[in-house]
PDB file of all heavy atoms in Angstrom:
ATOM      1  N   GLU A 170      20.884 -18.256  37.721  1.00  0.00           N
ATOM      2  CA  GLU A 170      20.734 -18.217  36.261  1.00  0.00           C
ATOM      3  C   GLU A 170      19.500 -18.992  35.805  1.00  0.00           C
ATOM      4  O   GLU A 170      18.763 -18.557  34.911  1.00  0.00           O
ATOM      5  CB  GLU A 170      21.982 -18.785  35.598  1.00  0.00           C
ATOM      6  CG  GLU A 170      23.236 -17.947  35.805  1.00  0.00           C
ATOM      7  CD  GLU A 170      24.428 -18.549  35.097  1.00  0.00           C
ATOM      8  OE1 GLU A 170      24.453 -18.516  33.848  1.00  0.00           O
ATOM      9  OE2 GLU A 170      25.317 -19.087  35.787  1.00  0.00           O
ATOM     10  N   LEU A 171      19.265 -20.147  36.417  1.00  0.00           N
ATOM     11  CA  LEU A 171      18.138 -20.977  36.014  1.00  0.00           C
ATOM     12  C   LEU A 171      16.805 -20.329  36.370  1.00  0.00           C
ATOM     13  O   LEU A 171      15.817 -20.500  35.646  1.00  0.00           O
ATOM     14  CB  LEU A 171      18.251 -22.362  36.662  1.00  0.00           C
ATOM     15  CG  LEU A 171      19.415 -23.232  36.189  1.00  0.00           C
ATOM     16  CD1 LEU A 171      19.431 -24.556  36.946  1.00  0.00           C
ATOM     17  CD2 LEU A 171      19.354 -23.481  34.687  1.00  0.00           C
ATOM     18  N   ARG A 172      16.762 -19.589  37.461  1.00  0.00           N
ATOM     19  CA  ARG A 172      15.508 -18.925  37.835  1.00  0.00           C
ATOM     20  C   ARG A 172      15.053 -17.948  36.753  1.00  0.00           C
ATOM     21  O   ARG A 172      13.853 -17.694  36.602  1.00  0.00           O
ATOM     22  CB  ARG A 172      15.658 -18.187  39.164  1.00  0.00           C
ATOM     23  CG  ARG A 172      15.706 -19.090  40.379  1.00  0.00           C
ATOM     24  CD  ARG A 172      15.477 -18.333  41.665  1.00  0.00           C
ATOM     25  NE  ARG A 172      16.490 -17.338  41.942  1.00  0.00           N
ATOM     26  CZ  ARG A 172      17.626 -17.561  42.582  1.00  0.00           C
ATOM     27  NH1 ARG A 172      17.918 -18.783  42.990  1.00  0.00           N
ATOM     28  NH2 ARG A 172      18.486 -16.588  42.818  1.00  0.00           N
ATOM     29  N   ALA A 173      15.990 -17.401  36.016  1.00  0.00           N
ATOM     30  CA  ALA A 173      15.643 -16.468  34.943  1.00  0.00           C
ATOM     31  C   ALA A 173      15.078 -17.189  33.723  1.00  0.00           C
ATOM     32  O   ALA A 173      14.533 -16.537  32.824  1.00  0.00           O
ATOM     33  CB  ALA A 173      16.878 -15.656  34.537  1.00  0.00           C
ATOM     34  N   LEU A 174      15.194 -18.525  33.690  1.00  0.00           N
ATOM     35  CA  LEU A 174      14.741 -19.305  32.539  1.00  0.00           C
ATOM     36  C   LEU A 174      13.413 -20.004  32.776  1.00  0.00           C
ATOM     37  O   LEU A 174      12.860 -20.589  31.853  1.00  0.00           O
ATOM     38  CB  LEU A 174      15.804 -20.350  32.175  1.00  0.00           C
ATOM     39  CG  LEU A 174      17.233 -19.854  31.970  1.00  0.00           C
ATOM     40  CD1 LEU A 174      18.111 -21.008  31.511  1.00  0.00           C
ATOM     41  CD2 LEU A 174      17.281 -18.707  30.979  1.00  0.00           C
ATOM     42  N   GLY A 175      12.908 -19.989  34.019  1.00  0.00           N
ATOM     43  CA  GLY A 175      11.648 -20.660  34.320  1.00  0.00           C
ATOM     44  C   GLY A 175      11.677 -21.258  35.716  1.00  0.00           C
ATOM     45  O   GLY A 175      12.681 -21.151  36.433  1.00  0.00           O
ATOM     46  N   PRO A 176      10.583 -21.902  36.145  1.00  0.00           N
ATOM     47  CA  PRO A 176      10.539 -22.535  37.462  1.00  0.00           C
ATOM     48  C   PRO A 176      11.681 -23.535  37.632  1.00  0.00           C
ATOM     49  O   PRO A 176      11.893 -24.388  36.776  1.00  0.00           O
ATOM     50  CB  PRO A 176       9.170 -23.230  37.474  1.00  0.00           C
ATOM     51  CG  PRO A 176       8.349 -22.433  36.509  1.00  0.00           C
ATOM     52  CD  PRO A 176       9.299 -22.009  35.430  1.00  0.00           C
ATOM     53  N   ALA A 177      12.411 -23.433  38.734  1.00  0.00           N
ATOM     54  CA  ALA A 177      13.701 -24.124  38.831  1.00  0.00           C
ATOM     55  C   ALA A 177      13.906 -24.829  40.165  1.00  0.00           C
ATOM     56  O   ALA A 177      14.990 -24.772  40.749  1.00  0.00           O
ATOM     57  CB  ALA A 177      14.842 -23.127  38.593  1.00  0.00           C
ATOM     58  N   ASN A 178      12.896 -25.505  40.670  1.00  0.00           N
ATOM     59  CA  ASN A 178      13.102 -26.317  41.867  1.00  0.00           C
ATOM     60  C   ASN A 178      13.960 -27.527  41.499  1.00  0.00           C
ATOM     61  O   ASN A 178      13.662 -28.218  40.531  1.00  0.00           O
ATOM     62  CB  ASN A 178      11.755 -26.819  42.405  1.00  0.00           C
ATOM     63  CG  ASN A 178      10.775 -25.692  42.633  1.00  0.00           C
ATOM     64  OD1 ASN A 178      10.955 -24.879  43.526  1.00  0.00           O
ATOM     65  ND2 ASN A 178       9.743 -25.638  41.803  1.00  0.00           N
ATOM     66  N   PHE A 179      15.015 -27.777  42.263  1.00  0.00           N
ATOM     67  CA  PHE A 179      15.799 -28.975  41.970  1.00  0.00           C
ATOM     68  C   PHE A 179      16.456 -29.532  43.212  1.00  0.00           C
ATOM     69  O   PHE A 179      16.654 -28.848  44.223  1.00  0.00           O
ATOM     70  CB  PHE A 179      16.833 -28.727  40.858  1.00  0.00           C
ATOM     71  CG  PHE A 179      17.939 -27.766  41.169  1.00  0.00           C
ATOM     72  CD1 PHE A 179      19.011 -28.128  41.979  1.00  0.00           C
ATOM     73  CD2 PHE A 179      17.945 -26.486  40.617  1.00  0.00           C
ATOM     74  CE1 PHE A 179      20.057 -27.250  42.238  1.00  0.00           C
ATOM     75  CE2 PHE A 179      18.981 -25.599  40.859  1.00  0.00           C
ATOM     76  CZ  PHE A 179      20.043 -25.983  41.680  1.00  0.00           C
ATOM     77  N   LEU A 180      16.773 -30.829  43.132  1.00  0.00           N
ATOM     78  CA  LEU A 180      17.530 -31.568  44.133  1.00  0.00           C
ATOM     79  C   LEU A 180      18.794 -32.086  43.467  1.00  0.00           C
ATOM     80  O   LEU A 180      18.736 -32.614  42.359  1.00  0.00           O
ATOM     81  CB  LEU A 180      16.715 -32.758  44.659  1.00  0.00           C
ATOM     82  CG  LEU A 180      15.322 -32.454  45.219  1.00  0.00           C
ATOM     83  CD1 LEU A 180      14.570 -33.758  45.473  1.00  0.00           C
ATOM     84  CD2 LEU A 180      15.421 -31.630  46.494  1.00  0.00           C
ATOM     85  N   TYR A 181      19.921 -31.937  44.157  1.00  0.00           N
ATOM     86  CA  TYR A 181      21.201 -32.390  43.612  1.00  0.00           C
ATOM     87  C   TYR A 181      21.993 -33.029  44.744  1.00  0.00           C
ATOM     88  O   TYR A 181      22.136 -32.450  45.830  1.00  0.00           O
ATOM     89  CB  TYR A 181      21.960 -31.212  43.011  1.00  0.00           C
ATOM     90  CG  TYR A 181      23.431 -31.460  42.766  1.00  0.00           C
ATOM     91  CD1 TYR A 181      23.870 -32.480  41.936  1.00  0.00           C
ATOM     92  CD2 TYR A 181      24.401 -30.645  43.373  1.00  0.00           C
ATOM     93  CE1 TYR A 181      25.222 -32.706  41.716  1.00  0.00           C
ATOM     94  CE2 TYR A 181      25.752 -30.850  43.158  1.00  0.00           C
ATOM     95  CZ  TYR A 181      26.159 -31.881  42.334  1.00  0.00           C
ATOM     96  OH  TYR A 181      27.509 -32.095  42.127  1.00  0.00           O
ATOM     97  N   ALA A 182      22.494 -34.224  44.511  1.00  0.00           N
ATOM     98  CA  ALA A 182      23.297 -34.923  45.509  1.00  0.00           C
ATOM     99  C   ALA A 182      24.593 -35.390  44.878  1.00  0.00           C
ATOM    100  O   ALA A 182      24.618 -35.802  43.715  1.00  0.00           O
ATOM    101  CB  ALA A 182      22.534 -36.115  46.080  1.00  0.00           C
ATOM    102  N   ASP A 183      25.677 -35.316  45.654  1.00  0.00           N
ATOM    103  CA  ASP A 183      26.980 -35.759  45.148  1.00  0.00           C
ATOM    104  C   ASP A 183      27.592 -36.861  46.008  1.00  0.00           C
ATOM    105  O   ASP A 183      28.778 -37.150  45.905  1.00  0.00           O
ATOM    106  CB  ASP A 183      27.943 -34.578  45.032  1.00  0.00           C
ATOM    107  CG  ASP A 183      28.194 -33.860  46.353  1.00  0.00           C
ATOM    108  OD1 ASP A 183      27.811 -34.391  47.420  1.00  0.00           O
ATOM    109  OD2 ASP A 183      28.769 -32.750  46.324  1.00  0.00           O
TER     110      ASP A 183
END
Side-chain angles (χ1 to χ4, degrees):
E170 294 181 70
L171 293 178
R172 286 196 297 273
L174 308 184
N178 306 291
F179 66 76
L180 305 170
Y181 164 59
D183 59 12

